Amino acid sequence: MRLRFAPSPTGYLHVGGARTALFNWLLARRGGGTFVLRIEDTDRDRSRPEHVEAILNGLTWLGIDWDEGPYFQAAGVERHRADALRLLAEGRAYRDFTPREEFERARDAAVAAGSGAVTRLSRDLATRVPPAEQERRAVAGDPFAVRFLVPDGTTSWRDLVHGDTRFANAEIDDFVILRSDGTPTYNLAVVSDDAHTAITHVLRGDDHLSNTPKQILLYEALGHPVPAFGHLPMILGPDGKRLSKRHGARAVEAFEGEGVVADAMVNFLALLGWSPGTDEELLSRDELVERFALERVLKKESVFDPAKLFWMNGQYIARMAPVELAAALRDALGRDGVAPGEIALNEEAFARMAAALAPRSRTFTEMARMSRPYVGPVRDYDPKATKKNWYRDPAATTRVLTAVRDKLAGMAWEPDALEGELRALAGELGVGAGQVFQPLRVALTGVAASPGIFDVLLILGRERSLARVQRALLSIAGSQ
Ligand code: GLU
């Protein structure tokens, strides 16, 4: 199998494109095939080098590696043109000198006169110019488009996703293959390139469905073997409309920036339109490669649900090894502008913190945000947290935190001792453990939700913990 991904560099790698790339890649990796990358940069006005780079970076981040390419479509323009001229020479295409306005006028008139089909109108107009005059005008340098002469009949194929699919050729107009400025059109360039690189399977979005009969006709006319085609159903946003910029983050890169793990993104993308046949949701890259099959590509649209992606990402984070967690968290802090020198934790405390925050984080961006009171100082106390945990009874809070402060100074700094002593302290004070832990949590982190209080103490260390309890006591006293 030779498969390809052929993005146009007119924007970033978006979710739909990444899904197409992934499905092709999974098929290639599963069947020992070859995965070719081709950048379709023939639209000179809209193609941008930074988009090429974003696409390559997006694929690289996802771990979708290619075996050949990237080829650039624009490099093949001479071949595309030669193919068009060959079709012209063989009588499978014709010159069309009709100016656009004249064509549009004739079309509007035909429609107004109630003529249903206008697919052969360009042919009718073009053939009014006798062959000898066509020759003369071509030699004289009059601009003309080359249109494909769509044969009579039906064009059909067994779609890898949708099964038997057919189009009546009468409904396909004699499409342009070479514009009057000499540039090839999309359908011609794609066929020429896919044939040139011996692509055997074309798997792409179903927005290309109506291009496929045209391309099959071109393969046949050019005498190339026709590849197998499969069209992946659309991806919808949570509102049921086609996924678009309106739905916010659509560029794969944006998810990387939010601290999504590449493996989670791949897992999520794989389930957009494919099912393993069970209700399993967490599938590693290797499992996907092993189990991916076209038979279970769904015919109906799938819905892109960011909440599900973030849930899945949380599952991946929770399963990551401590070293990986720590590295990814450092990256996320870096993206937030926290320089390594600003991190007030040693390796061990940092790793402990990453592990403690992992089960509570859906993304590394979230984790980085939650890590701020450990990495640096507590800047503000969350007013909701203090209202509930300190100021309902400031005198009692002061008594508890003072007792904690006095105890912390002499405590053995290891998990069991901390837990034993703080629980004993609650007993001595005649309060529940929560009445010690919650005010202390707010004092240490500024917020009401954090990892276990003993983990928090161990992450911060004795000195910083003590200083924070002391500062909390001052703050409570100051607000009375
Ligand atoms: N360049 C086309 C696109 O980005 C894809 C062409 C194809 O897959 O045949 O939509």
Side-chain angles (χ1 to χ4, degrees):
M1 278 173 110
R2 288 179 58 87
L3 300 118
R4 76 339 183 246
F5 176 50
S8 305
T10 51
Y12 297 102
L13 179 64
H14 54 80
V15 168
R19 194 263 313 247
T20 298
L22 177 65
F23 282 23
N24 277 287
W25 181 86
L26 287 171
L27 275 182
R29 291 296 170 263
R30 166 152 204 213
T34 302
F35 180 56
V36 177
L37 178 60
R38 179 175 71 237
I39 304 291
E40 303 212 312
D41 56 345
T42 37
D43 184 339
R44 279 324 204 176
D45 297 334
R46 293 171 59 223
S47 297
R48 299 255 183 287
E50 61 269 27
H51 293 146
V52 174
E53 210 173 300
I55 291 168
L56 300 186
N57 287 344
L59 292 173
T60 305
W61 174 61
L62 290 169
I64 300 178
D65 54 346
W66 50 94
D67 306 305
E68 279 180 31
Y71 298 124
F72 288 84
Q73 187 156 62
V77 166
E78 288 312 321
R79 174 170 32 78
H80 307 151
R81 210 170 275 147
D83 281 345
L85 295 177
R86 173 153 74 87
L87 292 176
L88 182 61
E90 290 172 359
R92 294 180 168 269
Y94 57 90
R95 294 188 184 101
D96 182 3
F97 289 96
T98 316
R100 172 173 282 276
E101 312 76 64
E102 189 182 326
F103 171 77
E104 283 168 2
R105 231 178 297 126
R107 186 197 52 205
D108 294 347
V111 171
S115 164
V118 289
T119 53
R120 296 295 168 261
L121 184 61
S122 52
R123 189 185 304 185
D124 296 343
L125 293 173
T127 48
R128 282 183 201 161
V129 183
E133 190 184 337
Q134 288 195 22
E135 276 314 314
R136 190 189 54 71
R137 289 178 63 177
V139 171
D142 265 13
F144 61 86
V146 177
R147 284 185 183 270
F148 184 68
L149 193 79
V150 173
D152 294 337
T154 314
T155 302
S156 60
W157 72 95
R158 175 167 292 238
D159 195 274
L160 298 169
V161 176
H162 299 280
D164 286 332
T165 307
R166 57 182 55 236
F167 281 78
N169 292 1
E171 280 163 24
I172 304 172
D173 54 11
D174 285 353
F175 51 98
V176 172
I177 53 177
L178 205 59
R179 298 185 191 90
S180 57
D181 65 1
T183 57
T185 59
Y186 159 75
N187 281 310
L188 177 74
V190 167
V191 169
S192 182
D193 287 353
D194 282 340
H196 186 66
T197 49
I199 297 301
T200 58
H201 293 72
V202 172
L203 198 60
R204 58 186 173 191
D206 65 7
D207 47 331
H208 285 290
L209 207 51
S210 63
N211 286 320
T212 299
K214 297 179 183 174
Q215 294 179 12
I216 289 175
L217 290 171
L218 284 174
Y219 277 102
E220 287 169 347
L222 287 164
H224 297 310
V226 180
F229 287 93
H231 293 85
L232 304 173
M234 250 193 270
I235 301 174
L236 306 176
D239 58 357
K241 302 223 170 81
R242 191 186 186 106
L243 192 66
S244 76
K245 293 207 178 89
R246 280 180 295 114
H247 294 100
R250 218 175 51 111
V252 164
E253 222 179 0
F255 295 106
E256 182 185 3
E258 280 191 48
V260 168
V261 182
D263 282 344
M265 190 82 205
V266 162
N267 189 160
F268 175 78
L269 289 171
L271 297 181
L272 277 180
W274 173 78
S275 148
T278 62
D279 48 20
E280 289 157 280
E281 296 204 283
L282 298 177
L283 295 156
S284 70
R285 195 179 290 263
D286 288 347
E287 286 170 319
L288 290 172
V289 167
E290 199 176 300
R291 296 173 59 178
F292 188 82
L294 282 172
E295 294 73 47
R296 285 196 302 273
V297 169
L298 310 171
K299 288 188 179 50
K300 69 179 196 37
E301 306 91 350
S302 48
V303 175
F304 177 84
D305 176 4
K308 178 164 173 191
L309 168 62
F310 292 126
W311 166 79
M312 198 173 260
N313 199 52
Q315 300 296 310
Y316 272 80
I317 290 178
R319 287 166 175 72
M320 276 167 82
V323 224
E324 285 178 291
L325 277 176
L329 180 55
R330 283 187 201 278
D331 287 348
L333 282 165
R335 283 197 297 272
D336 267 2
V338 178
E342 291 174 70
I343 298 177
L345 296 172
N346 63 24
E347 290 283 329
E348 194 199 329
F350 190 89
R352 181 183 283 276
M353 172 186 69
L357 292 174
R360 324 173 64 87
S361 309
R362 292 174 315 154
T363 67
F364 280 100
T365 304
E366 215 172 76
M367 198 192 279
R369 205 184 55 236
M370 289 192 287
S371 77
R372 296 305 275 267
Y374 311 96
V375 161
V378 169
R379 297 199 190 279
D380 307 294
Y381 297 113
D382 170 13
K384 268 207 216 118
T386 53
K387 185 169 174 214
K388 173 154 186 240
N389 299 292
W390 288 358
Y391 296 127
R392 261 210 284 226
D393 188 346
T397 307
T398 303
R399 192 169 76 97
V400 165
L401 289 181
T402 307
V404 170
R405 180 195 62 196
D406 297 344
K407 250 260 137 79
L408 286 183
M411 239 182 235
W413 212 254
E414 49 102 358
D416 291 346
L418 287 172
E419 170 153 17
E421 299 230 28
L422 286 179
R423 287 192 189 280
L425 179 70
E428 285 162 32
L429 294 171
V431 298
Q435 283 164 283
V436 174
F437 298 169
Q438 271 311 99
L440 177 58
R441 187 186 313 279
V442 178
L444 295 175
T445 65
V447 290
S450 79
I453 195 72
F454 314 111
D455 260 329
V456 172
L457 288 163
L458 289 165
I459 292 163
L460 289 171
R462 191 193 309 270
E463 295 307 312
R464 290 173 83 207
S465 299
L466 266 175
R468 287 180 186 202
V469 174
Q470 186 60 30
R471 181 181 152 204
L473 283 165
L474 288 173
S475 175
I476 296 167
S479 64
Q480 297 313 299

